[in-house]
């Protein structure tokens, strides 16, 4: 059997990966499967998904297929370095199956089973001044509650240094609309809790956090990443 191989582009910046996922869901990709795979298996894995789902068709080919009533698929890959696992998500639009392949994947709908990644979840969100909802990222309930509890305990136990670390970590979060709303709540919480139980001067809280604007693709081809991993440079 001929060995499958492909050299896909792999995103290396977390916020870019998150933005690309929300872009596709916003464009109507309403089914997904999600997972991780060792970086040294990504080539075969990507080629197999392209064979079965046309996951790397260019925009023109995908558009023509959708006009014929076939579904389009896209495979997004994320590798942060420092570990051997690559995160992947395969998304599919409505339509007839794009190939003769009928897999056993358990497809999920992002409106019914939210896409979660790195402590964040993709949700519908209505921005101030808008009447229609859009897709954005926010902390999962679990992650939000963990951060909230850590803030309260740090203040009540007078662990100011730990609180400063939390503030730095939280305000470095990707500035998606949903995250910014939660961070504003954290700011109010810190000020209120410090007034009740804090000692000394309250740590400096940033006035706000930056927006995630349109981000350019940032990443590398798999072949280059594999060389860097092999050389210990990634």
């Amino acid at each position: 059997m001929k060995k499958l191989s492909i050299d896909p582009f792999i995103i290396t910046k977390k916020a870019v990966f998150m933005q690309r996922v929300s872009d596709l869901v916003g464009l109507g990709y309403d089914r997904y499967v999600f997972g991780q795979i060792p970086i040294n298996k990504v080539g075969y894995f990507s080629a197999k998904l392209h064979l079965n789902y046309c996951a790397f068709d260019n925009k023109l080919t995908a558009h023509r297929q959708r006009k014929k009533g076939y579904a389009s698929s896209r495979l997004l890959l994320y590798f942060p370095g420092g570990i051997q696992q690559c995160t992947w998500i395969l998304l599919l639009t409505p339509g007839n199956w794009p190939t003769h392949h009928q897999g056993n994947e358990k497809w999920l709908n992002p409106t019914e089973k939210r896409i979660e990644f790195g402590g964040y979840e993709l949700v519908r969100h209505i921005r101030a001044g808008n009447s229609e909802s859009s897709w954005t990222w926010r902390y999962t309930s679990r992650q939000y509650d963990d951060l909230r509890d850590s803030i309260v305990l740090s203040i009540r136990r007078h662990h100011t240094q730990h609180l400063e670390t939390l503030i730095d970590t939280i305000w470095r979060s990707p500035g998606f609309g949903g995250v910014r709303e939660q961070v504003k709540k954290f700011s109010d919480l810190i000020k209120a809790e410090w007034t009740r139980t804090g000692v000394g001067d309250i740590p400096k809280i940033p006035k706000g956090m930056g927006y995630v604007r349109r981000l350019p693709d940032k990443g590398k081809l798999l072949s280059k990443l594999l060389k860097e991993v092999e050389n210990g440079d990634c």
Side-chain angles (χ1 to χ4, degrees), residues 142 160 206:
R142 181 175 61 256
T160 305

Side-chain angles (χ1 to χ4, degrees), residues 60-78:
L60 180 58
T61 299
H63 175 69
R64 288 173 175 169
Q65 289 297 95
R66 286 195 298 273
K67 288 186 69 174
K68 294 178 182 178
Y70 293 100
S72 292
S73 74
R74 284 287 303 277
L75 176 66
L76 296 176
L77 300 156
Y78 168 69

Side-chain angles (χ1 to χ4, degrees), residues 13 15-16 19 125 127-130 134 136-137 171-181 183-184 207-216:
K13 186 175 176 61
V16 173
Q19 191 174 76
H125 170 262
R127 297 178 181 176
N130 291 348
S134 58
T136 189
W137 291 90
W171 265 262
R172 287 179 181 272
S173 302
F176 295 98
V179 174
R180 292 198 308 274
E181 288 186 358
V183 170
K184 176 61 168 59
K207 293 182 179 180
M209 66 184 306
Y211 290 75
V212 173
R213 304 187 185 281
R214 289 305 309 168
L215 300 171

